[in-house]
Amino acid sequence: MSLLPLALQKNSKLTTKISKYHKLASNLVSSKYSFVIFVVFLWLAASYIFYLRFPNNFLEPNFYAEDGHVLAENIIKYGVFDAFFSTFNGYYIWGLYILADFGVALNSLLFEAEFVNLAKSFAIASYGFFGLAVTLPVLLLRKYLRPMALVFIVLLGLFVPMQGSDYAIIGVLGNLKFAFIYVAFVLLVYRHLMPEGSRKVYLVDVALLVCAYTNVTVYFMLPFALLRYTPKIKTKNFHRKILADKTFLSLLVLGVALLPQLYIVYRDGIPVMPGYLDTPYDFGKTIEIFVSRSYLYAITFPINNVMSDVVVVILSIVLIGLGVLFSGKYRKIFIFGLVTIFLGTFLFVIKRTGISDSFIGYRSGGPDQFFYPQNWIFTFILSVVVVEMISKIKLFRYRTGIYLVLLAACVFFLAPKSGTYGANNFMSEQVGTIYVNAKKLCASDSSNFNIPLYPSPNVMFYENAQRSQLCSEDALNYYPKIVRFDLSPADNQYIAGLGEKNNFTQTFKSPQAKLDGVNVYLSTFTERVDTSFNFKLMDADCKNTIASVKMANKKIEDNEYHLIEFPVQTDSTDKTYCFSIASDPGSPSDPLAVQLSKPDVYIEGLTFINGQPSNRDVVFNIHYK
């Protein structure tokens, strides 16, 4: 006999307390409030994961990829209400302006409405919206889909592949208009499954209206909403039954509300942007774009470089065949997902035919910003079908084993490769942070400034910014975590044989305090680095060693910056330092090499190669705590 019941009998007060807390916990779990708390927690966690995937747009904010001057400038110049009714490329982008308005509100709440913090506030709004999009299936479809299907939908959604353009998607607003395709898909699935006469349909249709007034692809998705009414057509007096259905009447109102934008598009057309993806379409890339990139890429991206048209066609036929066969009661949703993915790609490609130039025989995934909603939808319908297939296995331990294998594959195989996790710093390199730009501009005596918004052949600016908008304490006292010197590899010039054959020293001046690392651009010539290398931080004369650090070979990537951290130099402001990299004495140093820049770029630094001065600097930047 267990001793626990006897102990409880001797202590009736303890028994009463346990029973009380058990009852309280049961009520909490079964209550609607507990689900709301869970969804809010899931949304916040998902938003934070997207922040971790690309934190740069919060830590190094600017207005890049806010569709240049459109969102940032319109919000600032015209105000949140008037900007709401301005068009972009011939159609409205309501959803983006709603998010921008939310960013403006956050800026007032968190940053005293300072202009220099608006881009950072936009970044928070972007992370939050991505978290909401991924969480939405749990919020709406928990009663209609199996729990494990929702687990995979959320998990794969969190790590939808953005390997090449995450800097232009996560943490910005401009390219979020494509995400409204996925949001509309989830809303239409919920609308299809919701009970007849549900009052929630009004909120759903308002949300669908916003989606349609943000991305015109949603117009072509809306006919799916009619499928729920087809069984009534076969009955007597079906027109009376349909007109008595609140969801159908709401759909009619939605249809009427969609007409004004159709008139705007008919009247003004969709303007062509000369020079932007307007080259002729390459039909030889059709399978790569319409099948591989739009459907399979969501799960095959880590091995995309070994794919081919034949493999893609066979794999897609197998997956679609299994989907149709095993989707069961979700077959209409599965087919709707397949059609929506095609529409999302087709309607974009016919207007931007030059997108085919970005696909080079499965060696590149192409621009992520135009395809991630299709990937989201594919992982949605694939998750539903896979869970339906696994659920047919009778033995619980087999089902559990398969689920664990699939979850492990998502966490350890797909997630780590799904993006750059902040390594792609193209934006801040091209535009700079708004804080750094403001600090430079405020050093002048001018009262009006032009702030760069977007790098292009003709750089876009927000013009005539006032000194009061820019020269705040946040800008003037901002210290970036990374300071760059406009150095980049040039002319295939590098130093190899470090320590064994060649040596170098590079000096630099630290503009601020708490220096704690140097990012050096390294090349390995696609080989693995096995030899131990040491980084030395020295004084301005390159004689006295301040810190010596053994470099982490496993983290060195070919043609990438590698961060070497050392003890924080608290009083580093305006001090000159020197660094070098060399292999252990007597050890081979190939294949590691440091890249060199164009001549005479970083004037404050001195470079010596084998004791001789060089006008080319080592490509590096410096890191602060």
Side-chain angles (χ1 to χ4, degrees):
M1 177 181 289
S2 172
L3 296 178
L4 182 59
L6 292 175
L8 291 178
Q9 287 176 16
K10 294 179 180 179
N11 194 337
S12 59
K13 291 184 179 180
L14 178 62
T15 306
T16 303
K17 285 183 178 181
I18 292 175
S19 176
K20 179 181 177 181
Y21 290 133
H22 180 268
K23 185 177 180 180
L24 180 63
S26 299
N27 291 336
L28 183 62
V29 170
S30 62
S31 70
K32 292 182 180 180
Y33 296 108
S34 63
F35 177 72
V36 171
I37 293 171
F38 169 73
V39 170
V40 170
F41 172 78
L42 184 62
W43 166 57
L44 292 174
S47 302
Y48 183 64
I49 287 174
F50 278 111
Y51 163 78
L52 294 177
R53 287 191 61 179
F54 200 82
N56 306 40
N57 287 322
F58 178 81
L59 300 175
E60 302 178 0
N62 53 43
F63 289 116
Y64 182 87
E66 306 298 348
D67 276 318
H69 60 289
V70 177
L71 281 176
E73 191 173 11
N74 284 359
I75 283 282
I76 297 163
K77 281 189 174 182
Y78 306 123
V80 294
F81 184 77
D82 289 341
F84 193 77
F85 291 98
S86 61
T87 59
F88 171 76
N89 277 356
Y91 55 89
Y92 293 109
I93 48 174
W94 283 7
L96 299 190
Y97 280 118
I98 290 173
L99 292 173
D101 292 347
F102 182 68
V104 170
L106 282 175
N107 197 38
S108 298
L109 181 65
L110 302 176
F111 307 115
E112 299 182 356
E114 293 181 338
F115 173 82
V116 289
N117 288 311
L118 186 57
K120 178 181 284 188
S121 301
F122 282 175
I124 298 173
S126 175
Y127 299 133
F129 178 70
F130 266 115
L132 177 63
V134 168
T135 308
L136 196 60
V138 176
L139 178 64
L140 299 181
L141 302 173
R142 67 190 186 281
K143 295 180 180 179
Y144 307 104
L145 300 181
R146 295 180 187 272
M148 283 307 301
L150 291 172
V151 169
F152 284 111
I153 288 170
V154 172
L155 185 60
L156 292 171
L158 285 171
F159 299 104
V160 61
M162 298 179 187
Q163 293 179 299
S165 307
D166 52 357
Y167 63 91
I169 307 170
I170 304 176
V172 297
L173 299 186
N175 288 309
L176 292 190
K177 58 181 174 286
F178 298 102
F180 283 85
I181 297 174
Y182 177 73
V183 172
F185 173 80
V186 176
L187 290 171
L188 284 166
V189 170
Y190 176 57
R191 199 185 193 285
H192 179 73
L193 297 174
M194 67 166 38
E196 187 172 330
S198 173
R199 293 183 179 181
K200 294 178 183 178
V201 72
Y202 304 130
L203 292 175
V204 170
D205 286 350
V206 169
L208 284 171
L209 180 68
V210 172
C211 291
Y213 272 63
T214 307
N215 195 303
V216 293
T217 300
V218 177
Y219 276 78
F220 297 87
M221 299 165 59
L222 290 172
F224 176 75
L226 295 170
L227 286 183
R228 68 174 285 144
Y229 308 108
T230 53
K232 293 183 178 181
I233 296 177
K234 301 176 183 179
T235 62
K236 293 181 179 180
N237 299 320
F238 72 91
H239 58 283
R240 293 181 181 177
K241 294 180 180 179
I242 288 179
L243 292 176
D245 190 331
K246 293 178 181 179
T247 63
F248 184 77
L249 294 177
S250 181
L251 185 63
L252 287 180
V253 174
L254 173 61
V256 173
L258 292 170
L259 295 178
Q261 178 163 244
L262 291 178
Y263 171 73
I264 295 293
V265 173
Y266 172 76
R267 184 191 67 186
D268 300 335
I270 297 179
V272 176
M273 300 173 64
Y276 180 67
L277 301 179
D278 58 357
T279 56
Y281 179 70
D282 183 353
F283 285 92
K285 309 291 180 60
T286 299
I287 293 176
E288 187 176 355
I289 295 172
F290 278 86
V291 184
S292 177
R293 190 57 181 84
S294 299
Y295 292 85
L296 304 181
Y297 191 76
I299 56 173
T300 62
F301 66 90
I303 56 171
N304 188 63
N305 60 328
V306 301
M307 302 294 281
S308 66
D309 284 353
V310 174
V311 173
V312 165
V313 169
I314 293 174
L315 185 57
S316 61
I317 290 174
V318 170
L319 289 177
I320 292 173
L322 291 173
V324 173
L325 185 62
F326 288 97
S327 53
K329 62 181 179 180
Y330 303 112
R331 187 165 293 122
K332 291 179 181 178
I333 294 172
F334 181 79
I335 295 173
F336 173 49
L338 297 178
V339 173
T340 300
I341 293 168
F342 173 80
L343 286 172
T345 300
F346 176 76
L347 293 173
F348 176 78
V349 169
I350 60 173
K351 295 300 296 182
R352 302 285 182 257
T353 54
I355 192 67
S356 60
D357 294 338
S358 301
F359 293 86
I360 49 177
Y362 299 95
R363 294 197 301 269
S364 168
D368 302 312
Q369 59 264 47
F370 308 129
F371 297 95
Y372 70 89
Q374 292 94 308
N375 294 165
W376 259 339
I377 294 170
F378 185 70
T379 56
F380 182 106
I381 59 176
L382 185 66
S383 297
V384 171
V385 170
V386 168
V387 171
E388 286 299 302
M389 292 172 60
I390 296 173
S391 66
K392 297 185 182 301
I393 299 174
K394 294 182 179 180
L395 290 177
F396 174 77
R397 63 176 180 271
Y398 290 161
R399 293 200 307 271
T400 303
I402 294 173
Y403 283 138
L404 290 175
V405 169
L406 292 177
L407 289 171
C410 293
V411 172
F412 298 107
F413 183 64
L414 296 179
K417 300 174 184 288
S418 61
T420 69
Y421 292 89
N424 192 340
N425 51 22
F426 172 80
M427 276 194 304
S428 53
E429 289 183 350
Q430 291 292 314
V431 184
T433 72
I434 192 168
Y435 302 110
V436 170
N437 289 329
K439 188 179 291 188
K440 291 178 181 177
L441 293 170
C442 293
S444 70
D445 295 329
S446 176
S447 57
N448 296 324
F449 306 105
N450 294 335
I451 298 294
L453 299 177
Y454 199 90
S456 65
N458 298 309
V459 177
M460 297 178 184
F461 292 93
Y462 169 54
E463 299 177 346
N464 299 319
Q466 303 298 307
R467 176 173 284 273
S468 60
Q469 291 179 302
L470 290 181
C471 304
S472 67
E473 290 186 9
D474 280 343
L476 299 180
N477 295 327
Y478 173 77
Y479 294 97
K481 197 166 187 177
I482 298 175
V483 172
R484 298 178 175 85
F485 302 112
D486 297 323
L487 298 167
S488 59
D491 308 322
N492 197 30
Q493 296 293 305
Y494 57 85
I495 310 171
L498 301 174
E500 179 190 21
K501 302 173 184 176
N502 300 307
N503 61 75
F504 77 90
T505 58
Q506 172 72 54
T507 68
F508 64 90
K509 187 175 182 180
S510 169
Q512 60 193 51
K514 297 184 179 180
L515 172 73
D516 76 338
V518 174
N519 273 306
V520 185
Y521 195 94
L522 301 175
S523 295
T524 67
F525 309 101
T526 71
E527 296 183 29
R528 189 178 71 180
V529 178
D530 293 321
T531 303
S532 294
F533 284 85
N534 295 298
F535 172 92
K536 279 189 179 182
L537 180 72
M538 296 168 280
D539 59 13
D541 296 328
C542 301
K543 293 181 179 179
N544 299 314
T545 300
I546 298 172
S548 181
V549 179
K550 187 174 289 294
M551 295 169 60
N553 289 355
K554 293 182 179 180
K555 294 183 178 181
I556 296 176
E557 301 288 341
D558 187 27
N559 296 330
E560 296 284 351
Y561 281 99
H562 177 73
L563 174 62
I564 303 106
E565 295 182 280
F566 42 76
V568 179
Q569 307 300 302
T570 307
D571 57 345
S572 58
T573 304
D574 293 331
K575 283 190 176 181
T576 298
Y577 295 89
C578 175
F579 72 85
S580 67
I581 295 175
S583 61
D584 288 338
S587 300
S589 56
D590 290 331
L592 194 68
V594 295
Q595 290 287 338
L596 298 175
S597 70
K598 291 180 180 179
D600 304 319
V601 175
Y602 180 45
I603 305 301
E604 289 187 305
L606 296 175
T607 309
F608 283 82
I609 301 175
N610 296 326
Q612 300 298 314
S614 171
N615 62 354
R616 294 177 181 268
D617 291 284
V618 171
V619 179
F620 74 103
N621 56 58
I622 50 181
H623 190 276
Y624 292 85
K625 186 174 179 62

